Amino acid sequence: MNRRNQHWTLRAFIALAVSFIASGTQSAIAQDFDLIEQRLGGIVADGELSLEQAHVMLHALRQHAEQHHEQAEMQELFERAGIAESSVVRLHRALEERGIHGQQRDLSMRLLLRALQTKNSSADEFEFPTKLRQYLQTEGKLAEEQVQFITNIAARLAREVNTNREQKQQRSEQTQTRQKQVEERIVQWIESLETELREAVESERLTEDEAWEKWDWIKENQIEPKLDAAMEERSLTEEQSEHIWVEIKEREAELREQHE
């Protein structure tokens, strides 16, 4: 194989390997590495790489995989703390711009996250823990101005957490209000159907048996689809739907008992 094709093959292999690692879970990555090792073995056998070069490449890929996994875990922890992914990306960039790289950056992000987790409620005034500040200086080897920069970022992120929490609470309350209104409208609609059937029986347009037969048809072809559609649109919860069906069954039992 000529050198040009050799370089293309290696670039394609590296791109494929990195894409496997970036898109996989921890267990999937382990399986991907089995495949990667097999492919590398083939490339070595074809004389495109030496065994030593293959070991170096595999080691680099493993380091990349570990770093990717750690970053993904860190991202998930920040999201659980109420920090948006875009804010984490900006944080990462800001630390780099301040000369906080590699292990210092990772340590700073972990301690910053821990500081945010010490804030118990939105009513608390955020204060970066003194012990964590000292740890950044002694173990992280950060300058005072870098530590202060991280402290300032933590305060800003704490405000973001408060805002996000309050907005989430507001959205939740608004959603619950809308869902309650939808439930009330559906219940009223069901009651109107019941009233129509009762009036039809009273006016002798339907017999009692015919009314019950029509009611069964209405439940299957009107009520059930309407409830399913409302849940699909998330304008009604599954719990609310189940509650409506319970009320329907209780009302049916009550009516049957009255006519026995």
Side-chain angles (χ1 to χ4, degrees):
M1 180 179 292
N2 62 44
R3 183 172 296 275
R4 181 178 179 182
N5 288 338
Q6 175 182 344
H7 287 170
W8 183 91
T9 301
L10 291 176
R11 285 199 300 270
F13 169 77
I14 293 171
L16 178 63
V18 171
S19 67
F20 277 162
I21 294 168
S23 61
T25 61
Q26 189 73 350
S27 58
I29 288 173
Q31 295 176 352
D32 289 339
F33 265 110
D34 291 339
L35 177 60
I36 289 170
E37 286 185 291
Q38 292 175 11
R39 295 283 180 86
L40 270 177
I43 292 175
V44 171
D46 291 340
E48 299 178 42
L49 279 179
S50 68
L51 185 59
E52 182 180 358
Q53 288 173 320
H55 282 310
V56 171
M57 182 179 291
L58 191 60
H59 177 69
L61 287 172
R62 287 191 183 279
Q63 285 186 320
H64 177 80
E66 291 174 1
Q67 183 180 17
H68 172 78
H69 181 66
E70 290 174 359
Q71 289 176 350
E73 285 187 332
M74 181 65 68
Q75 176 66 50
E76 183 178 354
L77 290 173
F78 270 96
E79 289 180 358
R80 288 181 182 177
I83 305 298
E85 180 178 358
S86 58
S87 295
V88 178
V89 172
R90 288 195 298 271
L91 168 61
H92 198 281
R93 187 184 305 119
L95 292 175
E96 292 282 350
E97 291 173 352
R98 290 284 176 149
I100 305 173
H101 310 290
Q103 293 182 348
Q104 285 184 323
R105 180 201 60 220
D106 295 341
L107 175 64
S108 298
M109 293 187 69
R110 286 197 300 271
L111 294 184
L112 194 154
L113 178 62
R114 188 179 302 174
L116 292 173
Q117 291 171 336
T118 63
K119 183 175 171 57
N120 296 322
S121 71
S122 58
D124 297 332
E125 187 67 28
F126 177 78
E127 183 175 348
F128 201 94
T130 302
K131 288 185 178 180
L132 297 185
R133 286 180 61 96
Q134 293 173 345
Y135 196 86
L136 283 170
Q137 290 178 307
T138 57
E139 300 298 326
K141 308 299 182 184
L142 297 183
E144 175 60 31
E145 62 179 22
Q146 290 175 318
V147 174
Q148 186 58 48
F149 176 70
I150 292 172
T151 300
N152 294 340
I153 288 181
R156 179 178 60 78
L157 291 178
R159 291 193 295 271
E160 179 181 326
V161 169
N162 290 344
T163 300
N164 291 344
R165 183 184 293 118
E166 291 170 0
Q167 291 176 345
K168 183 177 181 180
Q169 179 64 26
Q170 290 175 355
R171 288 194 298 269
S172 177
E173 292 174 354
Q174 291 170 353
T175 298
Q176 290 176 6
T177 298
R178 287 195 299 270
Q179 289 173 338
K180 185 63 177 177
Q181 292 171 344
V182 170
E183 180 181 3
E184 290 174 352
R185 288 197 297 269
I186 291 177
V187 169
Q188 290 172 358
W189 170 68
I190 293 173
E191 289 175 348
S192 70
L193 296 175
E194 178 189 331
T195 300
E196 290 177 6
L197 288 176
R198 184 174 64 252
E199 291 176 350
V201 172
E202 291 174 352
S203 62
E204 298 184 350
R205 287 182 285 114
L206 289 176
T207 65
E208 193 75 32
D209 289 341
E210 289 172 337
W212 279 111
E213 183 177 345
K214 186 171 183 178
W215 173 245
D216 289 337
W217 183 92
I218 288 174
K219 286 192 297 182
E220 181 179 353
N221 295 279
Q222 292 185 345
I223 297 177
E224 185 174 353
K226 192 177 188 70
L227 292 177
D228 289 344
M231 287 191 293
E232 182 72 22
E233 296 169 356
R234 296 187 178 181
S235 57
L236 194 73
T237 66
E238 184 176 350
E239 183 180 359
Q240 287 176 300
S241 177
E242 291 176 354
H243 178 67
I244 290 173
W245 282 117
V246 168
E247 288 189 334
I248 288 175
K249 290 179 180 179
E250 290 178 350
R251 181 59 177 161
E252 286 177 342
E254 181 182 342
L255 290 172
R256 291 183 186 280
E257 185 177 346
Q258 290 176 359
H259 291 87
E260 285 181 355

